[in-house]
Amino acid sequence: MAELSGINDGKIVIREVMDSDITSITDIYNHYITETTATFEETPVSENEMDIRIKSISAKYPVLVATLNNSVVGYAYAHQWKEKSAYSSTLETTIYLSPHIQAQGIGTRLMNELISHCKKIGIHTLIACITAENADSCAFHHKLGFKPVSHFKEVGLKFNRHLDIIDYQLIIK
């Protein structure tokens, strides 16, 4: 667990996910479902569904949360990128932050900790699949050393708009 000095005299703690985090994680994710194109999911998820997803991922891969003054303000995880065994050293990353704490360094700390966890378990490559119009996420991943490696045109349809996807890649050294 990484404890870091915080924002507004609070304490930011990056730690592994716990069952008690599911409500906050669900609330954060549902904001992105209903308000943004950051995810192509269109229907809010229930806490039960999120609990199943998180438990499935955390059984094999890292799932981390960022807390500020003991409240979950973000989460990140890595999960299987492709099913074939030859891809076993490549994972896809996901990160979501509460909208009110973006651009304050918490996401960078959270993602750096996720990258560190992935390196420790022998992962070689990380992939981030980002909606092309999400310039903040593209810049965030670029800042962390991810490089754009593919651009798919009009592969998602959300809010009656066809959207592009850019895959970013980080080879962990």
Side-chain angles (χ1 to χ4, degrees):
M1 174 172 50
E3 190 171 306
L4 308 159
S5 293
I7 293 164
N8 299 328
D9 298 322
K11 282 257 191 219
I12 300 166
V13 176
I14 309 294
R15 61 167 171 75
E16 292 183 7
V17 70
M18 299 185 314
D19 289 343
S20 59
D21 300 328
I22 296 302
T23 298
S24 297
I25 289 171
T26 304
D27 290 345
I28 291 167
Y29 186 56
N30 282 338
H31 162 80
Y32 287 92
I33 291 173
T34 60
E35 303 297 323
T36 77
T37 58
T39 175
F40 285 179
E41 197 146 12
E42 297 179 279
T43 304
V45 298
S46 69
E47 286 182 29
N48 185 58
E49 173 61 25
M50 184 59 77
D51 187 46
I52 291 167
R53 291 179 188 187
I54 295 296
K55 283 182 177 164
S56 174
I57 295 165
S58 66
K60 190 168 183 182
Y61 304 110
V63 179
L64 305 175
V65 296
T67 65
L68 176 59
N69 299 323
N70 298 314
S71 295
V72 173
V73 294
Y75 68 99
Y77 59 83
H79 60 92
Q80 186 174 348
W81 182 58
K82 299 273 187 184
E83 292 182 20
K84 294 180 176 66
S85 63
Y87 295 115
S88 64
S89 66
T90 299
L91 299 180
E92 182 176 346
T93 63
T94 296
I95 183 168
Y96 288 101
L97 302 174
S98 294
H100 70 281
I101 59 94
Q102 291 179 352
Q104 297 183 46
I106 296 172
T108 300
R109 294 171 181 179
L110 183 57
M111 187 61 93
N112 281 331
E113 191 68 23
L114 181 67
I115 293 166
S116 176
H117 273 66
C118 290
K119 187 174 185 176
K120 287 176 190 170
I121 63 171
I123 299 305
H124 180 70
T125 304
L126 297 174
I127 305 292
C129 181
I130 303 169
T131 309
E133 70 181 23
N134 189 346
D136 289 343
S137 187
C138 291
F140 170 76
H141 284 83
H142 181 76
K143 178 179 81 170
L144 291 169
F146 285 75
K147 305 290 185 218
V149 293
S150 67
H151 188 137
F152 297 99
K153 301 283 187 179
E154 299 183 7
V155 294
L157 177 65
K158 188 169 181 183
F159 303 140
N160 292 317
R161 295 175 31 236
H162 287 95
L163 301 164
D164 294 2
I165 291 294
I166 301 174
D167 284 332
Y168 282 75
Q169 177 184 31
L170 176 68
I171 297 176
I172 302 173
K173 308 241 176 184

